[in-house]
Amino acid sequence: MEKIYTNDKKDKSFFQQIFKTQLSKKLSVAMVLVSFFSFMMMGINGVSYAAVPEIPTSGLGDSFTTGPAGERIFGSGVGANNITILGYTTKENGYPIYCLERNVNYKSDTVMQKKEKITDQGLLYIMANVYPNKSFTDDNGKVFPEQVQTWLSQATIWRYLYETNADGNQGNDASVDIEAIKNVTSISWESDMTTKCTMAGCDGQTSGKTFYEARIAPLVANARKSNVTTNGTITLSITNEEINITSDEKYYQTSKVMIGTTNGSNLVDGSKKVEIVSAPKGTILVDQNGNEIKDTSNISEFYVKIPVSAVTEDNKVVKLSASGTYRGYDGYYYKAEGAQTVSSVYTTDIPTTTGLEIPINYTPDTPDTGMNLAQSIYFIGLVVLLCGVGIIYANVKPKAQQQ
């Protein structure tokens, strides 16, 4: 049959005409861009990388309702058969929360009440260094999918609580085998069982490393250190307690006082300061050249200068204070009858302070006029010798006269 071709636009449908116009080209470009950005919002194999809702600086509030349990995430390896961990969030806002009692069941649609403040610095440290506050990465530095983050974060928290003998976390008869966690080398999840992430990545490569030895154990070890803190500390120390007098003999001056900080990057700009709490009237802080320091926010060392005339028996101590504010982490326990205790940390301003007392004990330098032991023996021997010579002379002379 002969084919008939026509160029008459009237014979074409409305949509056919549209796709022949410039508008068609613009629409095509727009569709490509939308498709591209939609793809960027999805991870490999459909893993979502949407931003996790950030917990406000006020925390989780006085109460919240627990949301439904998330999808099941499986950890496997030699001696570890699909150790299952689920993700949990608040129902109202989708804020991530973590379970703090491995041996107690999680309850959804349950109102959790704010209870005592978390004072366990190790627990705060763990939660501040897991998802969503910090992200776990593979051996190539690539951030793991959200499901892997959730599994590793909850496993790390439970491991810390187990090692520190926290209530509700002892024994190994719960649904999660706390010891078998050490053997997990692969993590997968319910919505995509084809993706199995290892420390080598999530693209099918295998790795001999366990997640425990590579990521969990180091965090737990740091959290168990005696001086661990999620925030920061300020220290004051003095080189020695020697007090010198200035050349004009009007002032006493201490040795160098040093200010130390940890986690300096978390220190709120301009918040650090040093104050004289109590001291003789006229006491000031000076630099190494003797110049008075009025702005102490950026100093790392100084000296204390005290008027001699102001020192009495009642004020022979200088008391100093150093303080600062850290952008750190805080958290509370949330509890309900028959439900597992949960929590999540949030960033907030944490003030910290420390003190130092310096006694004013000035002892002028005097030359050492004392004799050492050898000199003393020599001197005594000399005296004895002279005395002996004198006695002999006194006895010999009369005899000589008698002859």
Side-chain angles (χ1 to χ4, degrees):
M1 180 182 295
E2 184 181 358
K3 293 183 180 180
I4 301 175
Y5 297 90
T6 175
N7 290 323
D8 188 358
K9 291 185 178 180
K10 293 181 180 180
D11 293 337
K12 296 181 180 180
S13 69
F14 173 75
F15 291 104
Q16 287 175 318
Q17 294 182 44
I18 288 293
F19 282 105
K20 286 289 186 179
T21 63
Q22 289 296 321
L23 177 61
S24 171
K25 297 178 181 178
K26 294 178 180 178
L27 288 172
S28 298
V29 172
M31 290 175 66
V32 170
L33 290 175
V34 170
S35 299
F36 174 75
F37 285 111
S38 297
F39 174 76
M40 291 297 291
M41 291 301 292
M42 299 297 292
I44 300 172
N45 295 323
V47 180
S48 173
Y49 285 91
V52 176
E54 184 178 351
I55 298 175
T57 55
S58 57
L60 296 172
D62 292 331
S63 66
F64 63 84
T65 302
T66 55
E71 71 173 312
R72 295 188 298 171
I73 309 166
F74 311 106
S76 301
V78 178
N81 184 24
N82 288 343
I83 297 175
T84 306
I85 289 177
L86 295 80
Y88 304 105
T89 62
T90 62
K91 185 175 182 179
E92 300 90 343
N93 309 102
Y95 298 142
I97 54 177
Y98 289 104
C99 294
L100 305 182
E101 293 175 303
R102 181 171 49 90
N103 297 339
V104 180
N105 291 329
Y106 171 83
K107 293 180 69 174
S108 61
D109 291 314
T110 301
V111 177
M112 308 296 293
Q113 298 291 341
K114 182 180 181 181
K115 297 299 182 180
E116 62 270 20
K117 187 175 182 178
I118 297 176
T119 57
D120 184 340
Q121 288 297 310
L123 179 57
L124 286 175
Y125 176 86
I126 289 288
M127 290 198 288
N129 284 278
V130 298
Y131 187 73
N133 297 303
K134 301 287 177 64
S135 293
F136 290 99
T137 60
D138 61 26
D139 284 341
N140 299 312
K142 188 175 180 180
V143 175
F144 282 120
E146 181 180 339
Q147 289 88 342
V148 179
Q149 303 287 348
T150 299
W151 195 97
L152 286 173
S153 298
Q154 184 65 79
T156 303
I157 291 170
W158 277 338
R159 185 68 203 183
Y160 170 78
L161 294 171
Y162 171 74
E163 291 190 11
T164 54
N165 299 313
D167 291 340
N169 290 276
Q170 296 314 299
N172 200 37
D173 55 355
S175 58
V176 176
D177 190 331
I178 196 66
E179 288 298 338
I181 282 176
K182 294 181 177 181
N183 302 323
V184 171
T185 56
S186 174
I187 298 176
S188 57
W189 48 96
E190 198 170 19
S191 62
D192 178 19
M193 293 300 292
T194 61
T195 299
K196 296 184 184 298
C197 296
T198 69
M199 281 307 303
C202 297
D203 54 3
Q205 296 186 47
T206 59
S207 172
K209 292 182 181 178
T210 65
F211 284 101
Y212 176 83
E213 66 180 344
R215 294 293 180 267
I216 296 176
L219 263 181
V220 172
N222 285 336
R224 297 192 63 184
K225 291 180 179 178
S226 59
N227 61 343
V228 67
T229 175
T230 61
N231 308 314
T233 57
I234 293 179
T235 60
L236 274 178
S237 59
I238 191 167
T239 305
N240 54 63
E241 293 187 354
E242 291 182 3
I243 300 289
N244 297 313
I245 195 165
T246 56
S247 57
D248 58 8
E249 299 186 349
K250 293 182 178 180
Y251 294 92
Y252 296 124
Q253 185 164 309
T254 68
S255 58
K256 183 166 60 178
V257 180
M258 294 154 289
I259 309 171
T261 59
T262 61
N263 295 350
S265 60
N266 292 342
L267 191 65
V268 176
D269 290 341
S271 68
K272 186 180 73 173
K273 63 180 179 180
V274 178
E275 294 181 303
I276 300 173
V277 178
S278 66
K281 185 177 180 179
T283 299
I284 58 174
L285 308 181
V286 298
D287 60 21
Q288 60 181 354
N289 297 318
N291 301 315
E292 183 177 1
I293 301 173
K294 295 183 178 180
D295 181 6
T296 62
S297 60
N298 293 314
I299 63 173
S300 58
E301 58 186 43
F302 61 89
Y303 302 80
V304 183
K305 197 172 181 180
I306 310 132
V308 172
S309 60
V311 178
T312 67
E313 287 298 323
D314 297 327
N315 65 6
K316 294 180 68 174
V317 175
V318 174
K319 295 182 179 180
L320 303 175
S321 171
S323 59
T325 301
Y326 281 88
R327 174 47 61 105
Y329 293 91
D330 211 345
Y332 288 82
Y333 295 103
Y334 286 82
K335 300 179 180 181
E337 186 68 29
Q340 179 169 177
T341 300
V342 298
S343 184
S344 192
V345 297
Y346 57 93
T347 56
T348 186
D349 288 343
I350 308 291
T352 182
T353 185
T354 189
L356 178 68
E357 293 189 3
I358 306 174
I360 307 172
N361 297 319
Y362 173 68
T363 303
D365 293 333
T366 56
D368 185 8
T369 57
M371 293 184 295
N372 58 33
L373 180 62
Q375 290 174 322
S376 299
I377 294 174
Y378 175 80
F379 178 76
I380 293 172
L382 181 61
V383 171
V384 170
L385 177 63
L386 292 175
C387 289
V389 170
I391 292 172
I392 293 173
Y393 177 76
N395 290 329
V396 170
K397 186 174 181 181
K399 290 182 180 180
Q401 290 178 346
Q402 290 177 2
Q403 292 176 355

